[in-house]
Amino acid sequence: MEHTEGTIETTPVKETKPFVHPYEYELASNSYMMAVVSVIAGLPLPVINLIATVGYYLAHRKSSYLVRWHCIQASLGQIALIPFNSIALAWTLGILFGGRGFLGLYDIPRRYYADDVTLFEDYTGTTLLYWLYITFVIILNITEFIIVIATASKVRKGHNVRWWGIAPLADKLTSTEDRNPYKTA
Amino acid sequence: MDSQKVDMYLMSNAKFFQPSQLAYVRERLLAADESKWMYIQSADLKDPTTILIVSILAGNIGIDRFLVGDTGLGVAKLLTCGGFGIWAIIDWFLIMDITRQKNLEKLQAYL
């Protein structure tokens, strides 16, 4: 019977780093800028930033892997903020137009039915817990705002910024397929 | 086509295409037939900067989309007042690239 002795020699696979055009860094950086600039359009609505970043991603579906990856990371970053901002908005609206308690859903304030009160009375829904939560959300948003701007500027310079907890998810979600229809030989 | 002619064309028209696609454009132009030179030179390419200015000033009524040739999207943008302001902002960042892409598509017709 034949047998092979020694180790089997394999040809080492040469790993080549894909070429990234400097222009692509600018496109990738713009995906973060979308979240910052869209604040102008809809500051009270928590979902505007997400719509803007997802819209930017949809326009760049055929771009390179780097651009798509950063678009997805930016979108996921916005998705992470949505629950906090939505609760803050709903709670505030509840206090303005509704009653007391969590989200102001019960005990309708007197200003809506009594004759002897002014418009600015009976906002007792604004508890300490509410103010603590609003402070937390504002700090969270400012932090996110600063992180996004810092990331945008770093990505523009060519650094690959990976956000903790979000980057591995972006790795999984981004397709490695080369969708560029204009390839050189 | 003659490489000198192609390089001259790219030197004067580089701003109309995406920088990352210039290599592709050059390759295709070199492979193109000499008889197409007249058509290639006369292709109506839009200036991305002009379209960006239009997008900033009149993006809310979709004029930028009409100019680059996306009539359907232009009508949608017009009817929704620039996608309630969000689409108009997204387009400030996108429209230059879209214009360059459309220019390439126009040139592609002759290549």
Side-chain angles (χ1 to χ4, degrees):
Chain A
M1 256 179 94
E2 283 184 42
H3 69 277
T4 315
E5 281 185 1
T7 53
I8 301 165
E9 278 188 24
T10 52
T11 47
V13 181
K14 197 184 169 190
E15 277 193 18
T16 50
K17 213 179 167 187
F19 171 72
V20 178
H21 197 281
Y23 178 65
E24 286 172 17
Y25 291 123
E26 201 181 314
L27 291 180
S29 162
N30 278 350
S31 67
Y32 297 100
M33 289 311 289
M34 287 310 313
V36 175
V37 179
S38 61
V39 168
I40 305 166
L43 190 62
L45 294 173
V47 80
I48 300 293
N49 299 358
L50 180 66
I51 294 174
T53 43
V54 169
Y56 190 83
Y57 166 71
L58 290 177
H60 280 103
R61 270 170 312 174
K62 284 184 181 169
S63 291
S64 67
Y65 177 80
L66 178 100
V67 178
R68 282 184 285 124
W69 189 88
H70 280 288
C71 286
I72 286 179
Q73 180 170 255
S75 305
L76 289 175
Q78 296 306 318
I79 289 172
L81 272 186
I82 288 284
F84 298 104
N85 288 348
S86 300
I87 291 173
L89 182 71
W91 201 343
T92 309
L93 290 178
I95 286 165
L96 282 175
F97 301 109
R100 302 184 180 86
F102 183 67
L103 301 182
L105 289 176
Y106 60 90
D107 200 6
I108 304 299
R110 286 184 65 242
R111 66 176 179 279
Y112 283 106
Y113 55 84
D115 294 329
D116 57 336
V117 289
T118 62
L119 190 65
F120 304 102
E121 274 181 40
D122 202 9
Y123 282 95
T124 44
T126 52
T127 54
L128 177 67
L129 190 66
Y130 169 77
W131 288 118
L132 281 176
Y133 184 73
I134 289 296
T135 313
F136 163 71
V137 167
I138 289 171
I139 291 170
L140 187 71
N141 275 280
I142 291 171
T143 314
E144 188 258 5
F145 207 72
I146 293 166
I147 289 173
V148 166
I149 292 171
T151 309
S153 110
K154 276 186 180 172
V155 170
R156 195 171 282 256
K157 285 173 194 158
H159 302 287
N160 192 29
V161 181
R162 291 173 68 85
W163 287 347
W164 180 83
I166 290 172
L169 206 59
D171 287 339
K172 286 207 169 66
L173 285 174
T174 314
S175 165
T176 48
E177 183 192 347
D178 185 5
R179 294 169 180 169
N180 180 17
Y182 306 106
K183 292 184 188 94
T184 47
Chain B
M1 236 169 9
D2 183 21
S3 71
Q4 207 176 350
K5 219 181 231 180
V6 170
D7 286 338
M8 278 292 285
Y9 179 82
L10 284 179
M11 270 168 68
S12 52
N13 293 303
K15 67 171 179 177
F16 295 120
F17 305 105
Q18 283 181 8
S20 53
Q21 286 170 349
L22 281 177
Y24 172 81
V25 174
R26 186 172 190 278
E27 195 177 81
R28 292 304 303 267
L29 282 172
L30 285 171
D33 194 67
E34 194 73 36
S35 61
K36 300 216 172 117
W37 177 239
M38 272 305 287
Y39 298 114
I40 290 167
Q41 262 198 323
S42 60
D44 175 33
L45 304 176
K46 297 270 188 307
D47 186 357
T49 319
T50 314
I51 304 287
L52 177 66
I53 293 167
V54 172
S55 183
I56 292 168
L57 296 176
N60 278 321
I61 47 173
I63 305 293
D64 49 346
R65 286 284 179 171
F66 285 116
L67 277 180
V68 296
D70 286 337
T71 315
L73 290 174
V75 171
K77 208 172 163 181
L78 174 69
L79 293 177
T80 57
C81 273
F84 308 106
I86 309 165
W87 190 356
I89 289 177
I90 298 174
D91 266 357
W92 293 348
F93 290 84
L94 287 179
I95 203 72
M96 285 180 87
D97 253 358
I98 292 169
T99 314
R100 291 185 187 119
Q101 194 69 33
K102 294 281 176 191
N103 284 339
L104 183 59
E105 280 167 23
K106 261 182 206 163
L107 195 71
Q108 191 84 310
Y110 304 117
L111 299 174

